[in-house]
Amino acid sequence: ATLDCNDCDDQQTGTVGQPLQEPLVVRVLAGDQPAPDRKVAFVLTQDPAAGAVSPDTATTDSDGKAVAHWTLGTAPGDHLVVAQLVGDESATQIAEFRAVAEAGAPDTLSPASVLAQPGRRRQEVATPPVIRVVDRYGNPVPNASVAWLVTAGQGEVGAPSTVTDAAGKATVTWTLGNRIGVQKLTATTGTGSVMGSPVTFTVTVLF
């Protein structure tokens, strides 16, 4: 018996913790004819972060096809499932399915720099504000839009919004206004409820 797989080379991309859109399908042939009632094991070859396959052993139908569904794990990255025939010592052939897991939607916003510092009027802050965005599993979320808004002190930011990098971090330049006292800047992200949003940075200007 041989394993035949049309979609093995088509790497799927999905979101951590979610099922892949397309099922994993292999076809078992005896010669050039479909082989029904053959067992095919779908094996995750990496750590548990790769997720789960259901069922882990599927039986071929009358067309010789065995089908399984892959739910990605909680860690981003490249993952692999290997399909192989069960109970056939002569069948050394395997079929490989690859998938890329990407971080989920923004879930938590947190500061990645000091929240309070001294400053001087009309000067850039000494330590630029930095925030970090993660998904519900704590994975950094890249390319998330972060909105920056001066809420006290009439200062200016270099851009109204910036995007997070591969580490889930975003920053902006903040030039203080010509005011003595407390000046504030907020950072927000996401359209839904994001824990920790907004983050408020404060600068105290004494003279």
Side-chain angles (χ1 to χ4, degrees), residues 69-161:
H69 297 272
W70 185 359
T71 299
L72 294 172
T74 58
D78 299 322
H79 301 295
L80 176 70
V81 165
V82 172
Q84 56 196 65
L85 275 170
V86 177
D88 189 341
E89 295 297 325
S90 65
T92 57
Q93 191 182 13
I94 62 171
E96 294 184 344
F97 296 90
R98 299 178 188 277
V100 178
E102 296 182 339
D107 181 79
T108 304
L109 182 67
S110 60
S113 63
V114 294
L115 283 174
Q117 60 182 310
R120 302 184 69 170
R121 288 182 291 169
R122 295 179 176 172
Q123 300 292 311
E124 276 190 28
V125 293
T127 303
V130 181
I131 58 86
R132 185 168 186 259
V133 181
V134 297
D135 67 12
R136 62 186 174 134
Y137 302 112
N139 301 308
V141 180
N143 301 315
S145 180
V146 176
W148 305 92
L149 181 66
V150 174
T151 57
Q154 297 182 344
E156 292 182 351
V157 285
S161 67

Side-chain angles (χ1 to χ4, degrees), residues 24-107:
L24 312 183
V25 182
V26 296
R27 196 165 184 232
V28 180
L29 299 174
D32 58 357
Q33 295 298 312
D37 300 318
R38 302 297 289 269
K39 292 193 182 313
V40 177
F42 292 87
V43 183
L44 283 162
T45 59
Q46 293 163 321
D47 59 289
V53 178
S54 178
D56 55 12
T57 303
T59 303
T60 57
D61 60 15
S62 58
D63 199 29
K65 288 183 178 178
V67 180
H69 297 272
W70 185 359
T71 299
L72 294 172
T74 58
D78 299 322
H79 301 295
L80 176 70
V81 165
V82 172
Q84 56 196 65
L85 275 170
V86 177
D88 189 341
E89 295 297 325
S90 65
T92 57
Q93 191 182 13
I94 62 171
E96 294 184 344
F97 296 90
R98 299 178 188 277
V100 178
E102 296 182 339
D107 181 79

Side-chain angles (χ1 to χ4, degrees), residues 183-207:
Q183 302 198 24
K184 293 184 179 183
L185 173 71
T186 62
T188 55
T189 191
T191 51
S193 60
V194 176
M195 285 190 292
S197 182
V199 170
T200 300
F201 296 89
T202 62
V203 169
T204 303
V205 178
L206 295 177
F207 53 85

